[in-house]
Amino acid sequence: PLWHNMAFFNALEEAGAVFVIENQYYPEMPPEVDTSDPLEAMAERYWEERVGVVRRAREEGVADHRAGQVRRMVREYHIDGVVFLLILSCRPNAIGSTYMRNILMEGLQMPAFFLESDICDGRVASDAEVRTRAAEFVETVANYKKRREKGEV
């Protein structure tokens, strides 16, 4: 489907899914800095934005700051599964998605789903196929929740 096709997300919600956070365009919050010396404040903020994200990723036990951010969101929002939007015509968008999926599936044993889409070419995927895969994903998440409640994950 097209990435902005809300019918897909509505179908997932009808199947019981709830989207609690969107992280594609969710940057890390900028650090608080003392602005009494503007030049020093700019340098501190720049340093913290570049080096701080690496430090926070290492604290999460991962190499990529976006993966660390996703792991924090999983805990903060009590997430049971993740849908990754993979826009095929926007390669920078897709960088790191496989790595983050592996972090979630292997490290946290959490289900993850790749929604392959395009910015403007609707021929990339069949709506019926995507809906079938989405329904299977919702079922996988339900099984994951049951296993987690039993302490198996």
Side-chain angles (χ1 to χ4, degrees):
L2 297 174
W3 72 272
H4 54 273
N5 180 353
M6 295 307 293
F8 167 77
F9 297 99
N10 293 341
L12 268 177
E13 288 177 345
E14 288 170 10
V18 176
F19 290 89
V20 294
I21 188 73
E22 183 277 328
N23 85 318
Q24 185 64 42
Y25 304 103
Y26 187 90
E28 297 233 3
M29 293 299 295
E32 293 290 326
V33 294
D34 178 7
T35 57
S36 59
D37 180 350
L39 188 57
E40 174 132 354
M42 283 181 13
E44 182 181 343
R45 184 168 178 178
Y46 182 83
W47 175 263
E48 187 58 31
E49 285 179 353
R50 300 308 181 270
V51 176
V53 293
V54 174
R55 185 185 67 247
R56 288 188 294 280
R58 286 184 181 155
E59 289 169 358
E60 289 290 333
V62 293
D64 180 79
H65 75 277
R66 287 182 12 187
Q69 182 183 31
V70 169
R71 285 176 68 129
R72 284 191 303 280
M73 288 179 179
V74 164
R75 284 193 309 274
E76 182 178 342
Y77 293 98
H78 308 286
I79 294 172
D80 299 313
V82 175
V83 176
F84 286 102
L85 182 60
L86 194 62
I87 302 174
L88 299 177
S89 59
C90 184
R91 293 297 178 207
N93 169 278
I95 293 174
S97 294
T98 301
Y99 174 70
M100 285 192 285
R101 183 191 65 180
N102 291 343
I103 291 288
L104 293 170
M105 294 180 76
E106 294 168 10
L108 301 176
Q109 299 180 7
M110 174 174 287
F113 173 67
F114 271 140
L115 170 59
E116 294 178 359
S117 66
D118 195 82
I119 294 173
C120 57
D121 187 355
R123 299 171 295 171
V124 168
S126 148
D127 279 351
E129 177 187 343
V130 171
R131 286 178 184 270
T132 299
R133 289 181 56 218
E136 291 168 355
F137 176 68
V138 169
E139 186 176 324
T140 300
V141 169
N143 289 332
Y144 167 78
K145 288 172 68 172
K146 288 177 187 174
R147 288 179 39 230
R148 190 184 63 212
E149 289 168 1
K150 292 179 183 178
E152 296 174 4
V153 290

